[in-house]
Amino acid sequence: MTDSTPSPWEWAQDPNAVMWCLTFTHGITPHDVLSRYGADHRAAQLLNRQQAAALNEDSPPDGSVLRSGSLGGWSFCFEDYGVMGAMPGPLSALSRGTETFSVLLGGDGMNGFAHWRDSECTEQFEPGFSHTKPNPPHPWWDIVQGRLDASGEEYPGLVPVLEAIAHHTGAVLDTRTLHGPLLTLWLDDTSRTPDPTPRPHPHPAAIEQLGRPLGSLVLPPTGT
């Protein structure tokens, strides 16, 4: 006997989905979410996903359609064909005084997970790819990887990642909610919250000292 109960993450299993980006932020409203992305929340309209898709088609290419709603004590923002929710600027702003999760289905085949708290990135990695494993401690890597392993699938997709976040937040963005009316607006790339200025390494002299016997020391880019 097969289980006919639909998955709450049915939308995330859509084989026709090219890309999407989703954030969850604790303790702020959907209007606050849009503002922290850099948008004027007063311009938002209540649109369903089909209407939002039409807005996307009619908008210039250099921007993203943001759709925000609330699930209990958490607010989310969803983008079809957008990546603003994976950018340091919006994530830093969203997580100010709270915490934020970001999940990206990348159109280039690369996916992403990030956890931010108080405007600082605590973990960022590509789910399932060990070469992106953060330096310890990495509790979210352990949780997400455990879910991926438990799925028993070679290519489990991002549903185990969403389940791991939902276990922590209690917030499940089901297909009905995503397809229904949400606060929606288009945001130009030039208007989104800018990325924070990279901080200098706290011990530049130590880096220079290490680099002398080895030639030049090339550090990996942060957040990859």
Side-chain angles (χ1 to χ4, degrees):
M1 181 175 179
T2 59
D3 184 4
S4 60
T5 303
S7 165
W9 307 108
E10 185 180 358
W11 62 267
Q13 298 169 304
D14 182 359
N16 297 316
V18 176
M19 64 182 298
W20 48 260
C21 191
L22 174 64
T23 61
F24 293 96
T25 303
H26 184 251
I28 64 175
T29 69
H31 288 91
D32 292 334
V33 167
L34 296 175
S35 295
R36 294 193 185 196
Y37 271 78
D40 180 356
H41 69 85
R42 295 170 297 182
Q45 309 172 67
L46 275 176
L47 302 179
N48 61 35
R49 195 177 187 185
Q50 185 175 3
Q51 292 168 326
L55 178 62
N56 213 346
E57 293 172 359
D58 296 337
S59 299
D62 298 327
S64 186
V65 173
L66 308 179
R67 306 184 66 230
S68 186
S70 61
L71 296 165
W74 294 77
S75 288
F76 64 89
C77 188
F78 182 85
E79 302 167 73
D80 272 313
Y81 311 108
V83 297
M84 288 188 184
M87 298 292 185
L91 289 173
S92 176
L94 285 169
S95 65
R96 185 174 63 247
T98 182
E99 66 175 329
T100 298
F101 294 91
S102 169
V103 183
L104 171 69
L105 175 69
D108 58 359
M110 294 182 64
N111 302 329
F113 168 93
H115 176 255
W116 285 64
R117 185 185 294 277
D118 292 329
S119 299
E120 297 286 343
C121 182
T122 66
E123 287 187 58
Q124 183 171 329
F125 53 84
E126 185 174 6
F129 287 82
S130 59
H131 68 278
T132 68
K133 185 176 182 177
N135 293 327
H138 39 63
W140 280 106
W141 168 274
D142 297 337
I143 292 169
V144 168
Q145 190 59 47
R147 291 267 178 174
L148 292 171
D149 293 341
S151 73
E153 299 181 23
E154 185 177 3
Y155 302 106
L158 290 174
V159 170
V161 181
L162 295 169
E163 289 175 338
I165 295 172
H167 183 75
H168 173 78
T169 64
V172 176
L173 178 57
D174 59 33
T175 303
R176 180 179 179 181
T177 301
L178 182 61
H179 286 186
L182 298 171
L183 284 175
T184 305
L185 52 76
W186 181 83
L187 179 62
D188 187 278
D189 279 337
T190 60
S191 299
R192 74 164 176 86
T193 302
D195 296 342
T197 303
R199 295 181 179 180
H201 193 280
H203 303 295
I207 292 178
E208 184 179 355
Q209 184 75 21
L210 283 171
R212 284 173 183 165
L214 301 174
S216 60
L217 178 64
V218 179
L219 296 178
T222 59
T224 60

